[in-house]
Amino acid sequence: MPAGVMIPARNMPSMIGVNGNVGGFGSTSGLALGQIMFQPNMMEGHEFHHLDMTHNTSEGDMTRIRDEEFDSTNTKSGSENQEGASGDDQDPRPKKKRYHRHTQHQIQEMEAFFKECPHPDDKQRKELSRELGLEPLQVKFWFQNKRTQMKTQHERHENTQLRNENEKLRADNMRYREALSNASCPNCGGPTAIGEMSFDEHHLRLENTRLREEIDRISAIAARYVGKPVVNYPVLSPPMPPRPVDLGVGNFGGQPGLGGDIYEAGDLLRSISAPTEADKPMIIELAVAAMEELIRMAQMDEPLWMNSLDGIDAVLNEDEYIRIFPHGIGPKPTGFKCEASRETAVVIMNHINLVEYLMDVNQWSTLFSGIVSRALTLEVLSTGVAGNYNGALQVMTAEFQLPTPLVPTRESYYVRYCKQHADGTWAVVDVSLDSIRPGPAARCRRRPSGCLIQEMPNGYSKVTWVEHVEVDDRGVHNLYKHLVSSGHAFGAKRWVATLNRQCERLASAMATNIPAVITNQEGRKSMMKLAERMVISFCAGVSASTAHTWTTLSGTGADDVRVMTRKSVDDPGRPPGIVLSAATSFWLPVPPKRVFDFLRDENTRNEWDILSNGGVVQEMAHIANGRDTGNSVSLIRVNSANSSQSNMLILQESCTDQTASFVIYAPVDIVAMNVVLNGGDPDYVALLPSGFAIFPDGTAAHGVGMEESGSTGGSLLTVAFQILVDSVPTAKLSLGSVATVNNLIACTVERIKASLSCESA
């Protein structure tokens, strides 16, 4: 299937033949239609040959440049190394040659650039060398020496400050000792017994007093109940200024998420602002009550939770819930449906690290990128106490997604509260704040939802997840009705399965004993970080978000192709120009595991990938991401059968759990990947991800699941890809380009159906 490719916007001959066959693409430059062209014979045999990334400079020239650059740091400029100069002056040995010194203009320009960017990359160094008439290595060595000089100066300044502070502390200590020796008891007037109490114990007593006051405040709030007016309760800590609005998921290289795109938010997210001072006491009350409800929801069984008909899932007894929790955020709105679920699992992550991931909006949305399309923190009401997230309160907004254009996203405005309980268990709870926010009616309300985290041996954690929402799901397409209404699309099972898979991925990224073709540890980390950005960009760009404006092309029902265009400008992670995204979702009478294995296998890629076009597909590198063999990051080479075409390199990540599977890929530049495999920064590698999102249709005899290879259920498959149709961001999209994309995706779908022996009429 084509991905990350360029369609000429004008005068492009049709690539679909009369008989529906796809012709060859010929030779183009840059990001071409469905492929990135490379020089032939760049990669031979079964090994990956790194390109020579160094300059054509002889060893003698490099030594000369280093000597010249070293001498340049000893000039009488602002960057002069005085100690080095004095050492040279005292050296009785004659110099072998005359060193070349930088001009004052060159030094001033590099000094100015250093203030903005002390660590320039290769591109910036080359640009500087071109402007100043220097060799790139001279620029590199100047910056290295300058950083060393600045570090030395900083350490000297720091040592001076520490000495002054030490003297001040000594003086304070002497003053305190004198005061304590003359202190008297206010009750009896006699000498005090301060000498029996250590200085540390004295501070601990002060800390205990402060914590006791904190507990008293929270207890007073908890004693009252939601719905009663509160006027004088202060917040747990002084409010912090709101964070900058970031509509992305994750943060890569300082760029907003969604693969670098900044979309316009929907009506709900646009209307939301930070809470007022008058709202904060009510928010605190609501959070405390929600925490109590979450604990009970996670720990209680019958009659609150009943077994489902298949005996696998727990079903909430709504009547019993209303009886036990009569207040909360109010009655269920008319027309809304209740989705409540609970799931427990043991994951391979330390409980403290897991809490940190959940309480950091960027890490949380990156961890759950298949579920969270956008998230931001509006205000932090409390950062917690004792140096951790115990007692932390955050007002947030998020948009939850299913990666398909046929299911609307769910926007939510809520408070997140984190608490460590007496038995050592941590709990993180969310609850909607719609009742205190004037604005458009929300289509989704989060009743107390979240998780309990218990410490387990060997760095594992036991997680009990409760997901309880009320939602207006009338916009869901009939194809996905059963999956959504069963709660498996957005329920606790999917959250826990995603968390478990991502924890395995993080563990494998840090492990040093996992066998892999890429033996360079830094190279493995860079490649996995690049694949992570690719997955985030794919998931956020395929859902029916309020930030997207999809246009339906065919109008035939479930197989409609949705398209939208986006402009990419000044985004180092995406090629500049007009990007066209196309997606379609359809049903297959094939179990999800079979579909996943078929799409991820390089041996069957020719059966559906139009770009392969009969070429030889070979996996060059493989990084395992978990226990399941399907969880991996791969580097694939496609050798074209047509000798006139160049080889193509593809980065692919496949991942699966019991609720969903993904196969996501993007053509990548061989020179850029060479840098990544050597541990370089992957944030500047341009990607246009394409791929597949696979969900069970819920009709399997063993319930909704991905792992039963012998189940009889079908699959819901979303096919999506992104194409660069014009490298000029201001260009107009031609109807011919849209028609070509429509034909390409239709051809890919038909190939998949035919290969899986399920041709439709």
Side-chain angles (χ1 to χ4, degrees):
M1 187 182 69
V5 294
M6 177 171 180
I7 296 180
R10 309 165 190 84
N11 302 324
M12 175 185 170
S14 174
M15 298 170 54
I16 307 299
V18 177
N19 57 359
N21 296 327
V22 179
F25 298 108
S27 176
T28 59
S29 61
L31 292 172
L33 177 60
Q35 60 183 338
I36 297 182
M37 310 304 276
F38 306 102
Q39 294 299 323
N41 304 322
M42 188 76 75
M43 311 164 76
E44 301 175 359
H46 300 280
E47 299 180 0
F48 179 49
H49 297 279
H50 294 279
L51 296 179
D52 185 9
M53 301 294 289
T54 61
H55 300 279
N56 297 324
T57 308
S58 67
E59 186 175 349
D61 291 338
M62 292 178 68
T63 304
R64 175 182 56 79
I65 293 172
R66 281 183 176 272
D67 291 340
E68 291 175 356
E69 176 55 37
F70 179 78
D71 181 67
S72 71
T73 62
N74 299 321
T75 60
K76 296 180 179 180
S77 67
S79 61
E80 181 176 12
N81 188 332
Q82 297 290 351
E83 294 182 1
S86 62
D88 289 343
D89 293 340
Q90 296 171 4
D91 190 351
R93 292 176 297 177
K95 297 183 180 295
K96 293 184 179 180
K97 60 180 179 180
R98 184 181 183 85
Y99 292 122
H100 168 73
R101 300 180 184 276
H102 295 325
T103 66
Q104 192 67 24
H105 171 70
Q106 290 170 336
I107 293 174
Q108 288 176 351
E109 289 296 317
M110 287 190 288
E111 290 275 5
F113 194 91
F114 184 87
K115 293 179 181 179
E116 299 294 330
C117 178
H119 291 271
D121 55 26
D122 289 341
K123 183 179 178 181
Q124 291 169 321
R125 288 199 296 268
K126 289 178 182 177
E127 184 67 26
L128 268 176
S129 66
R130 200 160 41 242
E131 291 178 358
L132 302 178
L134 297 172
E135 289 289 334
L137 283 177
Q138 287 181 286
V139 176
K140 178 179 179 179
F141 298 149
W142 187 92
F143 273 86
Q144 287 177 346
N145 293 333
K146 182 64 177 177
R147 288 194 297 269
T148 303
Q149 182 187 31
M150 294 301 292
K151 181 180 178 181
T152 303
Q153 292 177 356
H154 176 72
E155 288 175 348
R156 289 175 179 171
H157 178 68
E158 199 173 54
N159 288 340
T160 302
Q161 283 186 320
L162 289 174
R163 278 196 298 269
N164 294 338
E165 188 175 345
N166 191 26
E167 291 300 324
K168 181 182 177 183
L169 289 174
R170 286 177 182 274
D172 289 342
N173 192 21
M174 293 298 295
R175 190 169 67 253
Y176 292 149
R177 286 178 181 273
E178 184 179 353
L180 287 173
S181 63
N182 298 326
S184 59
C185 176
N187 295 326
C188 64
T192 62
I194 290 293
E196 299 174 3
M197 184 189 302
S198 69
F199 191 69
D200 289 340
E201 184 180 355
H202 180 62
H203 274 274
L204 285 174
R205 288 176 182 264
L206 294 177
E207 177 72 7
N208 286 342
T209 302
R210 188 184 68 80
L211 290 175
R212 199 173 290 115
E213 293 174 355
E214 186 79 21
I215 292 171
D216 291 342
R217 278 205 304 272
I218 296 178
S219 298
I221 295 172
R224 305 173 66 87
Y225 214 71
V226 182
K228 296 181 180 180
V230 182
V231 243
N232 296 321
Y233 290 122
V235 295
L236 298 185
S237 66
M240 297 174 62
R243 298 184 180 181
V245 174
D246 177 10
L247 297 184
V249 287
N251 197 344
F252 299 92
Q255 301 295 325
L258 295 179
D261 295 324
I262 301 180
Y263 296 117
E264 184 181 11
D267 289 339
L268 177 62
L269 296 185
R270 274 203 305 266
S271 67
I272 293 173
S273 58
T276 64
E277 289 297 325
D279 292 334
K280 290 176 183 178
M282 179 64 73
I283 292 174
I284 296 171
E285 270 201 298
L286 192 60
V288 171
M291 178 62 72
E292 179 186 353
E293 180 174 323
L294 174 71
I295 299 295
R296 298 178 68 184
M297 290 277 285
Q299 296 176 345
M300 294 178 68
D301 291 318
E302 294 186 0
L304 181 63
W305 293 98
M306 312 292 290
N307 287 332
S308 60
L309 296 177
D310 56 15
I312 298 177
D313 300 321
V315 179
L316 181 68
N317 183 336
E318 292 191 54
D319 293 335
E320 188 68 17
Y321 172 79
I322 294 174
R323 188 187 69 79
I324 298 175
F325 308 105
H327 301 289
I329 59 175
K332 180 171 65 177
T334 305
F336 278 43
K337 292 184 178 179
C338 173
E339 292 180 11
S341 54
R342 184 175 65 177
E343 190 73 15
T344 301
V346 176
V347 300
I348 181 171
M349 182 180 283
N350 176 277
H351 63 295
I352 299 298
N353 292 340
L354 185 51
V355 169
E356 291 175 352
Y357 267 93
L358 296 177
M359 296 304 294
D360 183 292
V361 67
N362 287 328
Q363 293 191 88
W364 170 70
S365 53
T366 298
L367 198 67
F368 296 101
S369 58
I371 306 175
V372 181
S373 59
R374 296 181 291 168
L376 61 106
T377 301
L378 291 175
E379 186 162 357
V380 177
L381 301 184
S382 172
T383 57
V385 295
N388 56 38
Y389 282 106
N390 184 22
L393 269 170
Q394 302 174 0
V395 178
M396 306 173 63
T397 63
E399 185 180 58
F400 305 100
Q401 65 175 349
L402 195 69
T404 172
L406 302 184
V407 178
T409 53
R410 300 176 172 185
E411 297 171 322
S412 190
Y413 170 57
Y414 57 94
V415 60
R416 175 164 293 176
Y417 179 35
C418 178
K419 181 71 176 173
Q420 184 181 22
H421 296 274
D423 61 353
T425 300
W426 286 82
V428 179
V429 66
D430 299 341
V431 62
S432 282
L433 298 176
D434 306 275
S435 57
I436 65 172
R437 176 195 50 80
R443 292 192 304 108
C444 176
R445 301 200 312 168
R446 290 180 70 75
R447 287 192 176 272
S449 302
C451 62
L452 269 61
I453 305 168
Q454 296 173 268
E455 181 182 7
M456 301 287 285
N458 302 321
Y460 284 73
S461 299
K462 181 181 179 182
V463 177
T464 302
W465 200 289
V466 174
E467 195 68 17
H468 190 189
V469 301
E470 293 167 344
V471 62
D472 177 4
D473 64 355
R474 286 173 291 185
V476 177
H477 193 280
N478 288 333
L479 199 63
Y480 284 84
K481 278 282 188 185
H482 184 75
L483 182 68
V484 173
S485 62
S486 66
H488 290 97
F490 296 94
K493 179 173 286 188
R494 186 168 174 229
W495 283 94
V496 170
T498 302
L499 174 63
N500 191 30
R501 171 171 54 79
Q502 291 285 54
C503 286
E504 289 185 4
R505 189 185 195 278
L506 290 168
S508 65
M510 294 183 289
T512 57
N513 58 347
I514 294 180
V517 177
I518 306 173
T519 56
N520 179 4
Q521 178 76 2
E522 292 302 317
R524 282 215 315 272
K525 288 183 179 179
S526 293
M527 184 168 164
M528 291 182 68
K529 184 180 178 184
L530 180 62
E532 179 182 69
R533 174 161 65 88
M534 176 179 69
V535 172
I536 290 173
S537 179
F538 172 84
C539 291
V542 75
S543 65
S545 170
T546 54
H548 303 164
T549 303
W550 291 98
T551 302
T552 304
L553 290 186
S554 58
T556 59
D559 288 343
D560 292 348
V561 176
R562 266 75 169 178
V563 297
M564 66 175 173
T565 59
R566 289 174 288 179
K567 292 182 180 180
S568 176
V569 183
D570 296 330
D571 179 8
R574 185 184 296 273
I578 302 294
V579 176
L580 190 146
S581 297
T584 188
S585 299
F586 56 96
W587 177 78
L588 288 170
V590 180
K593 189 177 188 324
R594 181 181 165 194
V595 178
F596 174 68
D597 290 339
F598 168 75
L599 293 172
R600 74 178 177 88
D601 190 353
E602 70 271 13
N603 296 320
T604 57
R605 193 178 189 96
N606 277 322
E607 298 183 34
W608 58 265
D609 190 358
I610 297 175
L611 294 186
S612 301
N613 202 22
V616 178
V617 181
Q618 176 189 2
E619 183 180 70
M620 300 168 48
H622 178 95
I623 303 175
N625 274 346
R627 298 185 183 94
D628 195 295
T629 55
N631 291 332
S632 65
V633 176
S634 305
L635 199 59
I636 300 171
R637 182 177 64 187
V638 179
N639 296 326
S640 175
N642 187 343
S643 59
S644 66
Q645 295 182 4
S646 301
N647 294 335
M648 179 170 62
L649 209 58
I650 294 174
L651 177 67
Q652 175 174 295
E653 173 154 354
S654 60
C655 51
T656 183
D657 56 54
Q658 60 179 327
T659 62
S661 294
F662 297 91
V663 179
I664 301 168
Y665 63 93
V668 288
D669 180 71
I670 189 171
V671 177
M673 280 308 299
N674 207 5
V675 174
V676 171
L677 291 173
N678 282 307
D681 186 2
D683 290 338
Y684 294 94
V685 179
L687 288 177
L688 285 178
S690 301
F692 309 92
I694 310 162
F695 288 86
D697 64 359
T699 61
H702 303 289
V704 178
M706 301 288 299
E707 70 280 359
E708 298 89 358
S709 58
S711 68
T712 57
S715 304
L716 299 174
L717 178 62
T718 295
V719 181
F721 58 88
Q722 300 178 26
I723 294 178
L724 185 70
V725 294
D726 202 307
S727 58
V728 180
T730 56
K732 300 294 183 181
L733 182 66
S734 70
L735 293 177
S737 297
V738 176
T740 302
V741 171
N742 189 25
N743 289 335
L744 288 174
I745 197 170
C747 183
T748 303
V749 169
E750 290 306 315
R751 284 192 176 198
I752 293 172
K753 290 181 177 180
S755 298
L756 292 172
S757 301
C758 54
E759 295 88 343
S760 59

